[in-house]
Tab-separated table of all heavy atoms in Angstrom:
chain	number	residue	atom	x	y	z
B	2	ALA	N	-35.503	14.865	6.258
B	2	ALA	CA	-36.073	15.883	5.430
B	2	ALA	C	-35.454	15.907	4.040
B	2	ALA	O	-36.017	16.446	3.120
B	2	ALA	CB	-35.938	17.231	6.076
B	3	GLY	N	-34.246	15.322	3.899
B	3	GLY	CA	-33.564	15.368	2.612
B	3	GLY	C	-32.865	16.711	2.427
B	3	GLY	O	-32.174	17.169	3.302
B	4	VAL	N	-33.103	17.337	1.299
B	4	VAL	CA	-32.548	18.650	1.002
B	4	VAL	C	-33.659	19.698	1.113
B	4	VAL	O	-34.679	19.556	0.486
B	4	VAL	CB	-31.918	18.699	-0.421
B	4	VAL	CG1	-31.323	20.096	-0.672
B	4	VAL	CG2	-30.885	17.612	-0.600
B	5	THR	N	-33.415	20.688	1.957
B	5	THR	CA	-34.414	21.734	2.109
B	5	THR	C	-33.857	23.053	1.639
B	5	THR	O	-32.650	23.319	1.759
B	5	THR	CB	-34.846	21.871	3.582
B	5	THR	OG1	-33.687	22.091	4.394
B	5	THR	CG2	-35.522	20.592	4.058
B	6	GLN	N	-34.717	23.892	1.085
B	6	GLN	CA	-34.328	25.210	0.583
B	6	GLN	C	-35.320	26.246	1.073
B	6	GLN	O	-36.524	25.989	1.115
B	6	GLN	CB	-34.319	25.237	-0.949
B	6	GLN	CG	-33.238	24.447	-1.603
B	6	GLN	CD	-33.242	24.584	-3.107
B	6	GLN	OE1	-33.370	23.614	-3.841
B	6	GLN	NE2	-33.114	25.837	-3.599
B	7	THR	N	-34.807	27.392	1.450
B	7	THR	CA	-35.671	28.542	1.759
B	7	THR	C	-35.028	29.793	1.178
B	7	THR	O	-33.807	29.888	1.090
B	7	THR	CB	-35.820	28.721	3.276
B	7	THR	OG1	-34.517	28.842	3.875
B	7	THR	CG2	-36.605	27.561	3.895
B	8	PRO	N	-35.865	30.738	0.748
B	8	PRO	CA	-37.327	30.666	0.641
B	8	PRO	C	-37.766	29.886	-0.596
B	8	PRO	O	-36.919	29.530	-1.414
B	8	PRO	CB	-37.718	32.133	0.537
B	8	PRO	CG	-36.587	32.760	-0.235
B	8	PRO	CD	-35.334	32.025	0.250
B	9	LYS	N	-39.028	29.642	-0.743
B	9	LYS	CA	-39.551	29.001	-1.952
B	9	LYS	C	-39.692	30.024	-3.070
B	9	LYS	O	-39.522	29.701	-4.247
B	9	LYS	CB	-40.902	28.346	-1.674
B	9	LYS	CG	-40.811	27.046	-0.914
B	9	LYS	CD	-42.136	26.351	-0.860
B	9	LYS	CE	-42.063	24.919	-0.369
B	9	LYS	NZ	-41.314	24.750	0.896
B	10	PHE	N	-40.055	31.235	-2.735
B	10	PHE	CA	-40.232	32.302	-3.701
B	10	PHE	C	-39.583	33.576	-3.149
B	10	PHE	O	-39.582	33.786	-1.931
B	10	PHE	CB	-41.719	32.620	-3.950
B	10	PHE	CG	-42.521	31.439	-4.441
B	10	PHE	CD1	-43.192	30.628	-3.524
B	10	PHE	CD2	-42.582	31.124	-5.779
B	10	PHE	CE1	-43.938	29.545	-3.975
B	10	PHE	CE2	-43.322	30.064	-6.236
B	10	PHE	CZ	-43.984	29.240	-5.318
B	11	GLN	N	-39.061	34.408	-4.050
B	11	GLN	CA	-38.474	35.656	-3.643
B	11	GLN	C	-38.534	36.654	-4.773
B	11	GLN	O	-38.237	36.262	-5.934
B	11	GLN	CB	-37.036	35.466	-3.187
B	11	GLN	CG	-36.355	36.717	-2.651
B	11	GLN	CD	-36.913	37.136	-1.330
B	11	GLN	OE1	-37.039	36.369	-0.374
B	11	GLN	NE2	-37.276	38.427	-1.222
B	12	VAL	N	-38.872	37.884	-4.489
B	12	VAL	CA	-38.825	38.962	-5.462
B	12	VAL	C	-37.855	40.000	-4.931
B	12	VAL	O	-37.966	40.446	-3.788
B	12	VAL	CB	-40.203	39.596	-5.701
B	12	VAL	CG1	-40.073	40.731	-6.705
B	12	VAL	CG2	-41.200	38.558	-6.216
B	13	LEU	N	-36.882	40.367	-5.750
B	13	LEU	CA	-35.880	41.372	-5.370
B	13	LEU	C	-35.912	42.519	-6.352
B	13	LEU	O	-36.314	42.349	-7.498
B	13	LEU	CB	-34.485	40.756	-5.374
B	13	LEU	CG	-34.129	39.694	-4.349
B	13	LEU	CD1	-32.717	39.178	-4.596
B	13	LEU	CD2	-34.241	40.234	-2.942
B	14	LYS	N	-35.403	43.633	-5.878
B	14	LYS	CA	-35.169	44.736	-6.790
B	14	LYS	C	-33.698	44.726	-7.222
B	14	LYS	O	-32.810	44.223	-6.445
B	14	LYS	CB	-35.469	46.058	-6.092
B	14	LYS	CG	-36.961	46.235	-5.794
B	14	LYS	CD	-37.212	47.563	-5.096
B	14	LYS	CE	-38.699	47.720	-4.803
B	14	LYS	NZ	-38.976	48.960	-4.041
B	15	THR	N	-33.446	45.215	-8.399
B	15	THR	CA	-32.061	45.274	-8.887
B	15	THR	C	-31.162	45.956	-7.837
B	15	THR	O	-31.502	47.007	-7.293
B	15	THR	CB	-32.012	46.075	-10.191
B	15	THR	OG1	-32.766	45.350	-11.178
B	15	THR	CG2	-30.570	46.212	-10.678
B	16	GLY	N	-30.037	45.313	-7.575
B	16	GLY	CA	-29.088	45.839	-6.630
B	16	GLY	C	-29.200	45.292	-5.218
B	16	GLY	O	-28.250	45.458	-4.414
B	17	GLN	N	-30.311	44.695	-4.902
B	17	GLN	CA	-30.454	44.114	-3.568
B	17	GLN	C	-29.626	42.868	-3.453
B	17	GLN	O	-29.304	42.195	-4.446
B	17	GLN	CB	-31.919	43.799	-3.249
B	17	GLN	CG	-32.792	44.997	-3.001
B	17	GLN	CD	-34.208	44.622	-2.629
B	17	GLN	OE1	-34.847	43.766	-3.246
B	17	GLN	NE2	-34.714	45.264	-1.579
B	18	SER	N	-29.279	42.497	-2.208
B	18	SER	CA	-28.574	41.249	-1.984
B	18	SER	C	-29.446	40.343	-1.113
B	18	SER	O	-30.364	40.832	-0.431
B	18	SER	CB	-27.245	41.526	-1.273
B	18	SER	OG	-27.485	42.081	0.022
B	19	MET	N	-29.182	39.069	-1.231
B	19	MET	CA	-29.909	38.127	-0.405
B	19	MET	C	-29.175	36.786	-0.387
B	19	MET	O	-28.294	36.558	-1.219
B	19	MET	CB	-31.346	37.906	-0.874
B	19	MET	CG	-31.502	37.008	-2.039
B	19	MET	SD	-33.161	36.316	-2.192
B	19	MET	CE	-33.285	35.278	-0.741
B	20	THR	N	-29.564	35.946	0.551
B	20	THR	CA	-28.977	34.622	0.679
B	20	THR	C	-30.077	33.574	0.530
B	20	THR	O	-31.079	33.634	1.208
B	20	THR	CB	-28.275	34.456	2.036
B	20	THR	OG1	-27.237	35.444	2.149
B	20	THR	CG2	-27.683	33.079	2.185
B	21	LEU	N	-29.815	32.632	-0.361
B	21	LEU	CA	-30.670	31.440	-0.497
B	21	LEU	C	-30.086	30.377	0.422
B	21	LEU	O	-28.916	30.047	0.331
B	21	LEU	CB	-30.699	30.945	-1.948
B	21	LEU	CG	-31.050	31.971	-3.019
B	21	LEU	CD1	-31.197	31.277	-4.365
B	21	LEU	CD2	-32.303	32.746	-2.694
B	22	GLN	N	-30.951	29.813	1.235
B	22	GLN	CA	-30.497	28.803	2.192
B	22	GLN	C	-30.686	27.405	1.648
B	22	GLN	O	-31.667	27.110	0.958
B	22	GLN	CB	-31.249	28.957	3.512
B	22	GLN	CG	-31.113	30.309	4.196
B	22	GLN	CD	-29.703	30.550	4.699
B	22	GLN	OE1	-28.877	29.653	4.830
B	22	GLN	NE2	-29.406	31.829	4.966
B	23	CYS	N	-29.747	26.530	1.962
B	23	CYS	CA	-29.837	25.111	1.600
B	23	CYS	C	-29.281	24.294	2.737
B	23	CYS	O	-28.205	24.600	3.272
B	23	CYS	CB	-29.061	24.825	0.320
B	23	CYS	SG	-28.968	23.077	-0.097
B	24	ALA	N	-30.004	23.245	3.099
B	24	ALA	CA	-29.515	22.342	4.161
B	24	ALA	C	-29.881	20.907	3.775
B	24	ALA	O	-30.916	20.670	3.147
B	24	ALA	CB	-30.145	22.700	5.492
B	25	GLN	N	-29.024	19.970	4.182
B	25	GLN	CA	-29.311	18.559	3.953
B	25	GLN	C	-28.967	17.766	5.231
B	25	GLN	O	-28.029	18.136	5.936
B	25	GLN	CB	-28.549	18.027	2.729
B	25	GLN	CG	-27.059	18.249	2.717
B	25	GLN	CD	-26.221	17.138	3.287
B	25	GLN	OE1	-26.712	16.049	3.605
B	25	GLN	NE2	-24.919	17.413	3.445
B	26	ASP	N	-29.750	16.735	5.450
B	26	ASP	CA	-29.568	15.941	6.664
B	26	ASP	C	-29.142	14.503	6.363
B	26	ASP	O	-29.396	13.605	7.142
B	26	ASP	CB	-30.857	15.964	7.508
B	26	ASP	CG	-32.033	15.358	6.801
B	26	ASP	OD1	-31.897	14.912	5.631
B	26	ASP	OD2	-33.147	15.351	7.396
B	27	MET	N	-28.519	14.325	5.187
B	27	MET	CA	-28.107	12.979	4.781
B	27	MET	C	-26.626	12.769	4.975
B	27	MET	O	-26.086	11.737	4.536
B	27	MET	CB	-28.515	12.773	3.320
B	27	MET	CG	-30.028	12.804	3.108
B	27	MET	SD	-30.519	12.753	1.393
B	27	MET	CE	-30.216	14.438	0.887
B	28	ASN	N	-25.948	13.735	5.574
B	28	ASN	CA	-24.497	13.660	5.799
B	28	ASN	C	-23.719	13.536	4.492
B	28	ASN	O	-22.674	12.873	4.441
B	28	ASN	CB	-24.139	12.496	6.737
B	28	ASN	CG	-22.830	12.726	7.453
B	28	ASN	OD1	-22.442	13.864	7.730
B	28	ASN	ND2	-22.120	11.655	7.727
Side-chain angles (χ1 to χ4, degrees):
Chain B
V4 181
T5 56
Q6 290 183 238
T7 56
K9 284 190 168 50
F10 302 93
Q11 183 70 50
V12 179
L13 292 177
K14 293 181 180 176
T15 296
Q17 287 184 313
S18 63
M19 78 159 294
T20 299
L21 308 186
Q22 301 292 344
C23 173
Q25 53 94 8
D26 61 0
M27 296 174 282
N28 204 31

